[in-house]
Amino acid sequence: MRIVLLFLVLLLAPAFADAQAAQSVVCRTDMPLQTAEWVQYEDPAAAGWSAAALEDARAHATAIGSTAVMVLYRGRVLLAWGDIDVRHNIHSIRKSLLGALVGIAVEEGNIRPSATLAELGIDDSPPLTAQERTARVVHLLQARSGVYHPAAYETADMEQFRPERDSHAPGTHWFYNNWDFNTLATIYRNATGEDLFEAFERRMARPLGMQDFRLEDTRYVHDKSKSVHPAYLFSLSARDLARFGQLWLRDGCWNGRAVVPSAWVRASVTSYSKAFDGGYGYASWWTYPAWFGAEYGYDRLRSHDSWMTTGTGGQLIWVVPDLDLVFVHLHERS
């Protein structure tokens, strides 16, 4: 599905040549304000985009069963198709939302990335080993914890391919494991005293002006037969996810205010591991440096670094910074 979605992005690429590259963005008060309602281009062609390419992309989105597609260019809506105001289970994008909150907690001095699980009093049932307790918060963010414990809400692939306990020391091996992400939520709650979902509403949804977020559409998923650390599920709309993508594009700034520390945003989209067809940063941010396009044959993206956070089944936020572009895709899943 990821490569299918990449093809959808590439269908837009013929218009990229006509779009001016964005300059490096800093948290400035003179940037155009993001309003309560998204502002949409009346004529994408006037902004340098190919009407034919956009129509091809729309046809492809329809063919693959996309539920909602939204693209922002320079902070305005270039296109919006489907049910952009309907909330969907965003699956693993939830991990990037948590990552943003962890970054705020680090900035406020409530969480130390270098703290070990032992120092934080983190354990599980069955218990962690002595080696696993040496894993640090940063290792969990990077999916390099070396803790290969069963986890709530894990996929069949995670179960099937999970390494043996203590087979890799913390920090030495990348493995995408829900235990890391679920435990990060426990660490956040313990360190801040805040419920994760209430914190997201106060620190992210309200400041960004998310239009569709509802606390009643969030929930914890417990599976104590596997772990004491629950998973945490978010349902968000495409137009609200676009705000989160725009926040990351703007280095954590929203209307001149630093909602997430810019240094944390940059750390999140720095590649620490080779992972599948790209790199991996923090908390489910996948990185695609410019060499990605050449190495994998996607010539139209070869000049552009990009970042993506994704959830199983086709949920996706893709950010192309030097084009000032945010791409959101949702696909309904049962």
Side-chain angles (χ1 to χ4, degrees):
M1 175 63 82
R2 182 175 300 172
I3 297 303
V4 171
L5 293 173
L6 175 61
F7 180 69
L8 176 58
V9 177
L10 292 176
L11 282 170
L12 300 175
F16 285 178
D18 297 327
Q20 293 183 356
Q23 301 297 314
S24 297
V25 178
V26 294
C27 198
R28 306 195 328 245
T29 57
D30 61 341
M31 296 296 294
L33 293 178
Q34 300 294 333
T35 56
E37 294 282 347
W38 285 113
V39 177
Q40 185 158 358
Y41 289 99
E42 293 184 9
D43 180 10
W49 290 82
S50 163
L54 294 178
E55 189 54 42
D56 286 346
R58 181 198 294 269
H60 186 69
T62 300
I64 65 174
S66 304
T67 304
V69 177
M70 192 165 177
V71 178
L72 306 181
Y73 175 55
R74 295 181 175 174
R76 299 174 67 184
V77 177
L78 183 71
L79 57 88
W81 307 326
D83 300 325
I84 64 167
D85 58 343
V86 174
R87 294 179 289 278
H88 294 68
N89 183 345
I90 59 172
H91 295 284
S92 287
I93 295 176
R94 68 190 177 93
K95 300 160 188 174
S96 298
L97 305 184
L98 170 63
L101 294 175
V102 171
I104 296 170
V106 168
E107 176 77 4
E108 294 178 349
N110 292 317
I111 294 177
R112 286 188 300 111
S114 62
T116 67
L117 299 181
E119 291 171 333
L120 296 172
I122 294 294
D123 207 341
D124 210 330
S125 178
L128 299 184
T129 68
Q131 175 174 289
E132 289 170 338
R133 290 190 180 97
T134 68
R136 301 180 185 277
V137 172
V138 69
H139 295 148
L140 275 64
L141 288 162
Q142 296 172 346
R144 300 177 67 90
S145 72
V147 180
Y148 306 126
H149 193 288
Y153 208 64
E154 62 186 350
T155 66
D157 281 351
M158 290 176 186
E159 290 188 272
Q160 180 180 353
F161 297 109
R162 182 166 47 233
E164 294 295 322
R165 302 279 295 273
D166 281 351
S167 59
H168 299 282
T172 65
H173 180 73
W174 182 85
F175 180 69
Y176 192 78
N177 180 10
N178 271 7
W179 192 90
D180 291 358
F181 309 117
N182 296 346
T183 304
L184 277 170
T186 299
I187 291 171
Y188 179 85
R189 291 192 300 271
N190 291 347
T192 65
E194 295 183 295
D195 174 77
L196 173 63
F197 301 126
E198 292 176 357
F200 180 82
E201 180 183 47
R202 180 170 66 87
R203 293 179 174 271
M204 303 293 297
R206 290 179 189 169
L208 300 187
M210 289 187 174
Q211 296 166 273
D212 306 308
F213 176 77
R214 303 289 185 273
L215 275 176
E216 54 264 32
D217 292 318
T218 62
R219 63 189 176 97
Y220 292 102
V221 176
H222 297 264
D223 188 346
K224 294 187 178 179
S225 68
K226 293 184 174 182
S227 172
V228 302
H229 305 290
Y232 45 94
L233 304 191
F234 284 85
S235 292
L236 276 84
S237 67
R239 64 181 181 179
D240 283 351
L241 287 174
R243 291 179 184 270
F244 187 73
Q246 184 71 9
L247 177 71
W248 238 245
L249 176 68
R250 292 286 182 255
D251 282 346
C253 297
W254 195 265
N255 289 344
R257 172 192 167 194
V259 176
V260 178
S262 61
W264 186 263
V265 173
R266 287 293 154 186
S268 297
V269 296
T270 298
S271 180
Y272 306 103
S273 306
K274 185 74 180 294
F276 302 124
D277 50 8
Y280 189 84
Y282 284 174
S284 209
W285 276 108
W286 308 83
T287 66
Y288 297 94
W291 56 257
F292 164 79
E295 180 170 321
Y296 290 91
Y298 305 122
D299 293 339
R300 290 170 180 167
L301 286 180
R302 68 190 312 167
S303 300
H304 308 292
D305 293 343
S306 65
W307 324 312
M308 178 176 69
T309 176
T310 181
T312 186
Q315 326 308 345
L316 175 133
I317 306 172
W318 203 320
V319 181
V320 187
D322 62 337
L323 296 175
D324 211 338
L325 193 73
V326 175
F327 175 89
V328 176
H329 179 276
L330 290 177
H331 185 275
E332 189 63 76
R333 278 177 60 90
S334 57

